[in-house]
Structure formats: C-alpha cells, structure tokens
C-alpha cells in the first residue's frame, strides 16, 4: 500500500463513524447502501469495515436498526439515527471542522503536483 493510500485509509478510519452517522441523518439506510453512498463520495470502504462499526454504533445507542423485507432476496437491516446519534453527529462535526481547519492552515494550499510528480 502506498503511503498516500495508507494515510487516506487511516484518516477515514478516524472519521468513518461520523460519515456513517451523516448518511443516516435524513432517512434509514441499509448496510450495503451505506457502503455505496460512501463510494459516491470517493470514500471506498469494504463492508467488512462498516458492519462492525454499525454494530458498535448501535451498541452505543447512536443508531438503531430494524429488519425490512426486500423485494430481491433476504430481509435487509436498515439503520437510523437515534437522538443520541444526532447529538454525537453534531459534536463530531464540530470537532472535525476544527481539526480540518487547523490542518488545512498548517499544510497550506494544495499544489498542482499532489502525486509528488513534477509536470513539465
């Protein structure tokens, strides 16, 4: 794994819970769809990473789940935010904004050569 891919993976691991909570903000979503929605935002996460995290979020009382019948296959487990989940999302978003602002100020603007290669 390249250093940039590893770094991205580590950063995502640190905020994946917030990303999942944010995706549940508007409506209940089933597990696989959460992974697809993350990918739409260029956040590639294997289901093997999101399902254990969803279980931890549920155990912590931040999300709740319910099984719903599916038109194509077995029932699907839909997740939704609890009141505590909404609070955690708001607090986590504020924390992330502070950290992101500080890191962006420290690193400065993104150069055109983000891959480390020089362009002629």
């Amino acid at each position: 794994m390249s250093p940039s891919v590893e770094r991205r993976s580590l950063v995502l691991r640190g905020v994946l819970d917030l990303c999942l909570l944010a995706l549940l903000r508007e409506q209940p979503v089933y597990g696989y769809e959460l992974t697809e929605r993350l990918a739409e935002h260029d956040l590639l996460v294997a289901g093997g990473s999101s399902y254990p995290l969803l279980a931890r979020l549920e155990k912590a009382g931040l999300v709740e789940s319910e099984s719903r019948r599916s038109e194509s296959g077995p029932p699907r487990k839909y997740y939704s935010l609890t009141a505590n989940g909404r609070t955690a999302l708001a607090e986590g978003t504020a924390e992330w904004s502070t950290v992101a602002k500080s890191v962006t100020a420290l690193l400065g603007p993104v150069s055109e050569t983000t891959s480390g290669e020089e362009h002629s």
Side-chain angles (χ1 to χ4, degrees):
M1 183 180 300
S2 76
S4 63
V5 171
E6 186 174 349
R7 184 178 304 109
R8 182 180 173 102
S9 177
L10 288 170
V11 170
L12 180 56
R13 221 175 290 150
V15 294
L16 184 56
D17 60 335
L18 291 176
C19 294
L20 291 175
L21 293 175
L23 290 172
L24 296 172
R25 183 177 16 220
E26 300 300 323
Q27 64 186 24
V29 180
Y30 65 95
Y32 181 73
E33 185 180 359
L34 285 169
T35 302
E36 289 180 327
R37 288 190 181 180
L38 287 169
E40 289 171 4
H41 294 278
D42 294 324
L43 301 173
L44 304 177
V45 176
S49 297
S50 57
Y51 287 110
L53 180 52
L54 286 166
R56 287 194 300 273
L57 292 172
E58 187 169 21
K59 187 175 181 179
L62 303 180
V63 301
E64 57 191 11
S65 66
E66 69 173 307
S67 184
R68 295 185 187 174
R69 291 172 50 168
S70 169
E71 296 177 10
S72 59
R76 292 179 174 163
K77 194 172 190 177
Y78 280 77
Y79 297 88
S80 57
L81 278 183
T82 63
N84 287 341
R86 290 189 185 286
T87 300
L89 176 58
E91 291 171 354
T93 299
E95 291 168 8
W96 170 255
S97 295
T98 300
V99 169
K101 182 179 177 183
S102 297
V103 170
T104 299
L106 181 64
L107 296 178
V110 177
S111 69
E112 291 183 26
T113 58
T114 58
S115 67
E117 299 174 3
E118 292 188 14
H119 297 283
S120 304

